[in-house]
Amino acid sequence: MARRPLIAGNWKMNGLLADSLADTLATLMRKKQDWPFEMVVCPPFTLLHYLGKTIAGSGIALGAQDCHIKESGAHTGDISPLMLKDVGCTYVILGHSERRMDHGEGDSLIMAKAKAALAAGLKVILCIGETEAERDSGKTLEVNQTQLKGSMPVEVEAADTDLVIAYEPVWAIGTGRTPTDREIQEVHAFIRKELIALIGTAADSVRLLYGGSMKPGNAGGILALPDVDGGLIGGASLKAEDFWAIAQQSPAL
Ligand code: PGA
């Protein structure tokens, strides 16, 4: 079945109100029509409201980079899925390797967050990926299998359309290094096979994104791979022109 490519920008901890990033992006995107792909931008929490207003009507969706498992309550410093919906988000990134490392997030917490986000009506971009040491010791597929099984909520009915998996080799994030196209396809085909085992035919419509040093110069080859349905883009999403140049290399449906 045809899966509409998703081009997602992860701004991480970058961007201030005074920056012109949001405005540049919105201006650029408003000029475009009839995209064969979907776009989402995930700024830090502090910019969600502003960016949501700036990109309204541009065709770009708004997403966040994390959420809590509860709707509200005594959780100092946390943001709930309901709050993300309230501010206009339709997506949330969960299980990013930087959260796994910086905040010690494990698979079971990530699964709980994914369940809470889906229950609140958000779409989830669930990240998995091996470290360099794991790849070097031949454990790439095993690590991705463990993370997928451990963090993906399989019983969710809307799993096929609301769940997106992002394969992000940790060693490729922000480093300028990427796996070869053949290595990316190998992992994506493996993830698709694992998804079929977990959720059956619904796996056919789950989009699998590649993330890690995706740039205008390498996006074409990666996005054309049969089991790659878009990208999760960090550094290059901070330049509106580069982000758009990557999106334009999505294959037509
Ligand atoms: P990068 O980040 O494109 O800067 O490598 C990707 C990500 O971490 O989502």
Side-chain angles (χ1 to χ4, degrees):
M1 80 166 292
R3 294 177 291 266
R4 191 169 179 222
L6 176 64
I7 304 298
N10 175 10
W11 287 10
K12 309 191 179 187
M13 198 170 70
N14 293 294
L16 298 172
L17 280 172
D19 297 345
S20 56
L21 188 57
D23 305 84
T24 317
L25 187 70
T27 311
L28 185 75
M29 302 309 161
R30 277 208 188 87
K31 294 183 194 149
K32 321 292 175 180
Q33 300 291 328
D34 300 331
W35 309 338
F37 47 82
E38 191 183 345
M39 286 185 103
V40 55
V41 186
C42 306
F45 292 128
T46 49
L47 289 180
L48 283 173
H49 188 244
Y50 175 74
L51 189 69
K53 286 210 286 200
T54 311
I55 61 176
S58 70
I60 309 175
L62 186 68
Q65 301 171 18
D66 181 42
C67 70
H68 195 263
I69 57 173
K70 295 271 172 58
E71 259 187 21
S72 63
H75 301 285
T76 304
D78 280 311
I79 305 284
S80 79
L82 194 65
M83 290 167 171
L84 298 182
K85 287 276 289 183
D86 191 43
V87 80
C89 288
T90 49
Y91 278 91
V92 61
I93 298 169
L94 293 174
H96 191 281
S97 60
E98 285 151 14
R99 292 213 58 89
R100 289 177 187 261
M101 286 186 292
D102 295 354
H103 298 271
E105 292 193 11
D107 287 336
S108 55
L109 175 64
I110 295 161
M111 185 192 281
K113 289 184 175 196
K115 282 183 186 171
L118 289 166
L122 290 167
K123 297 182 186 200
V124 169
I125 300 174
L126 184 68
C127 304
I128 58 174
E130 80 285 354
T131 62
E132 184 158 31
E134 288 162 345
R135 176 164 281 266
D136 288 347
S137 55
K139 295 204 180 102
T140 297
L141 299 184
E142 183 188 325
V143 168
N144 281 286
Q145 180 185 48
T146 304
Q147 289 184 8
L148 185 72
K149 281 188 171 161
S151 56
M152 181 178 147
V154 290
E155 67 286 290
V156 177
E157 279 177 33
D160 51 343
T161 50
D162 289 352
L163 191 71
V164 177
I165 308 290
Y167 166 56
E168 297 206 305
V170 178
W171 54 274
I173 294 176
T175 59
R177 296 163 57 208
T178 55
T180 63
D181 290 354
R182 201 182 55 78
E183 286 167 337
I184 294 173
Q185 171 56 23
E186 183 196 11
V187 178
H188 277 238
F190 176 77
I191 294 171
R192 181 87 57 205
K193 205 166 66 101
E194 290 296 309
L195 282 173
I196 292 169
L198 288 167
I199 58 172
T201 50
D204 201 31
S205 43
V206 174
R207 287 173 295 182
L208 305 186
L209 312 186
Y210 168 77
S213 296
M214 198 186 264
K215 306 266 184 284
N218 62 19
I222 297 173
L223 293 171
L225 297 169
D227 282 296
V228 172
D229 310 305
L232 180 55
I233 297 122
S237 74
L238 295 171
K239 291 193 200 109
E241 298 284 351
D242 283 359
F243 190 44
W244 179 248
I246 291 172
Q248 279 182 306
Q249 296 182 60
S250 300
L253 280 180

